[in-house]
C-alpha cells in the first residue's frame, strides 16, 4: 500500500456507525407494508449498494419508489437505534488534522445528513447516490474526489466493510482497508484488514 495517503474515504454503515438494527426494523416494516416476503438476511447481503440496486438484486421488479419511500420513513423513525462505534469520533478528529477526510456511502442524502449530526464533525466531502449518476461500485465518486482535491488514485484510501466496497475500490484503483467489525466478510483474498478504527493509523 502506498503510504503517501492524502485522502481518507469512509463508508458509513458498518464502519462509522452501527445501523444494522435500524435497517432490520425498517426493512421488516417496509416488507409488511408492501406485502413483500424477503427476509432481512437476504437484504443484508447487499448492504453497501444503492437501495434501488438492492431491490433489483432481490428480484423486486416494481413499485421501487413506493418501497423506497416506506423504507426511508421507517428508517428515519428509528434513527435513535443508530450508534456510533467506539473511538470513531476521536480517530476522525485526529485524522482531520492531517488528511482530507470524507464519506462515500450508498445511504441516501437525507438520512446521511441526519446521521452525520450525531458525529459532530465536518467532513471535507460527502457523496451519496443522490450526488452521483452511478453510485458504488462504480468509480464516479472517486473521480470527483480526485478532481476536487487534485490528488491521484494512489493517494486515496477507502475504509469499507463489504465485498461491494472492495469492488468499488478496485474499480477506482485506490487503496482499500477492510473494517473487520462491519457487516460483511471477505475470505481468501489478500487485503489489509483492521480490527478497530484507530488501527487505520498503521496504514497511513
Amino acid at each position: 500500500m502506498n503510504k503517501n495517503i492524502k485522502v481518507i474515504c469512509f463508508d458509513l454503515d458498518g464502519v462509522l456507525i452501527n445501523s444494522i438494527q435500524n435497517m432490520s426494523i425498517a426493512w421488516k416494516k417496509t416488507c409488511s407494508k408492501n406485502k413483500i416476503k424477503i427476509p432481512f438476511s437476504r437484504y443484508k447481503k447487499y448492504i453497501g449498494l444503492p437501495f434501488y440496486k438492492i431491490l433489483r438484486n432481490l428480484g423486486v421488479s416494481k413499485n421501487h419508489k413506493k418501497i423506497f419511500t416506506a423504507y426511508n420513513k421507517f428508517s428515519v423513525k428509528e434513527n435513535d437505534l443508530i450508534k456510533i462505534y467506539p473511538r470513531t469520533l476521536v480517530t476522525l478528529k485526529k485524522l482531520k488534522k492531517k488528511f482530507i477526510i470524507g464519506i462515500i456511502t450508498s445511504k441516501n442524502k437525507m438520512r446521511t445528513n441526519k446521521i452525520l449530526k450525531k458525529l459532530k464533525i465536518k467532513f471535507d466531502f460527502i457523496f451519496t447516490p443522490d450526488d452521483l449518476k452511478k453510485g458504488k461500485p462504480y468509480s464516479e465518486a472517486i473521480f470527483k474526489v480526485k478532481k476536487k482535491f487534485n490528488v491521484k488514485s494512489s493517494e486515496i484510501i477507502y475504509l469499507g466493510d463489504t465485498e461491494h466496497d472492495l469492488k468499488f475500490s478496485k474499480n477506482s484503483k485506490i487503496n482499500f482497508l477492510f473494517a473487520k467489525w462491519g457487516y460483511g466478510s471477505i475470505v481468501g483474498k489478500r487485503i489489509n484488514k483492521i480490527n478497530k478504527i484507530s488501527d487505520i493509523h498503521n496504514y497511513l
Side-chain angles (χ1 to χ4, degrees):
M1 180 179 291
N2 183 351
K3 286 239 177 180
N4 188 29
I5 299 296
K6 295 180 179 177
V7 180
I8 306 171
C9 308
F10 296 93
D11 183 29
L12 187 57
D13 296 282
V15 174
L16 302 182
I17 59 167
N18 187 352
S19 54
I20 199 72
Q21 190 177 1
N22 173 281
M23 289 190 282
S24 176
I25 291 174
W27 178 247
K28 288 173 183 176
K29 288 185 176 181
T30 299
C31 287
S32 177
K33 184 177 178 65
N34 291 276
K35 298 180 180 180
I36 298 170
K37 294 182 178 180
I38 299 175
F40 182 70
S41 57
R42 283 187 60 200
Y43 179 97
K44 187 180 177 184
K45 294 178 182 178
Y46 300 109
I47 290 175
L49 295 175
F51 188 80
Y52 290 126
K53 190 172 182 65
I54 291 176
L55 292 181
R56 290 193 293 271
N57 286 349
L58 290 171
V60 179
S61 59
K62 57 184 180 180
N63 297 325
H64 285 188
K65 189 172 182 179
K66 180 182 176 183
I67 295 168
F68 171 77
T69 300
Y71 183 86
N72 209 41
K73 175 185 174 182
F74 292 129
S75 179
V76 169
K77 190 175 181 180
E78 304 293 342
N79 201 51
D80 288 343
L81 294 174
I82 297 172
K83 306 299 179 185
I84 302 168
Y85 283 115
R87 304 294 298 173
T88 295
L89 287 176
V90 172
T91 301
L92 289 174
K93 287 176 181 177
K94 286 182 179 179
L95 293 173
K96 188 169 173 57
K97 292 177 181 178
K98 294 179 61 179
F99 303 94
I100 298 165
I101 65 169
I103 288 175
I104 301 175
T105 177
S106 292
K107 190 180 290 296
N108 78 311
K109 197 172 192 69
M110 185 270 286
R111 285 186 291 136
T112 295
N113 287 338
K114 279 185 174 292
I115 291 166
L116 291 184
K117 287 180 181 179
K118 292 174 177 277
L119 287 171
K120 297 178 181 178
I121 186 168
K122 186 176 180 181
F123 290 90
D124 297 299
F125 61 91
I126 300 166
F127 288 114
T128 74
D130 298 331
D131 304 306
L132 307 165
K133 292 180 180 178
K134 287 187 174 183
K136 294 188 295 183
Y138 298 98
S139 59
E140 183 185 354
I142 295 301
F143 174 80
K144 288 179 177 290
V145 169
K146 288 162 62 177
K147 185 176 180 180
K148 182 174 182 177
F149 299 104
N150 191 28
V151 293
K152 303 173 184 177
S153 297
S154 60
E155 296 171 324
I156 303 172
I157 190 170
Y158 189 76
L159 179 62
D161 67 320
T162 68
E163 285 270 6
H164 311 298
D165 294 328
L166 175 59
K167 185 176 181 182
F168 164 68
S169 299
K170 286 184 174 180
N171 288 343
S172 306
K173 296 180 173 59
I174 59 174
N175 301 286
F176 177 72
L177 264 181
F178 180 70
K180 292 177 70 175
W181 61 91
Y183 305 147
S185 62
I186 299 178
V187 181
K189 294 180 180 177
R190 292 184 178 180
I191 58 171
N192 292 304
K193 303 177 182 180
I194 56 176
N195 293 307
K196 55 186 184 298
I197 193 166
S198 56
D199 289 343
I200 193 172
H201 295 290
N202 298 329
Y203 293 90
L204 302 174

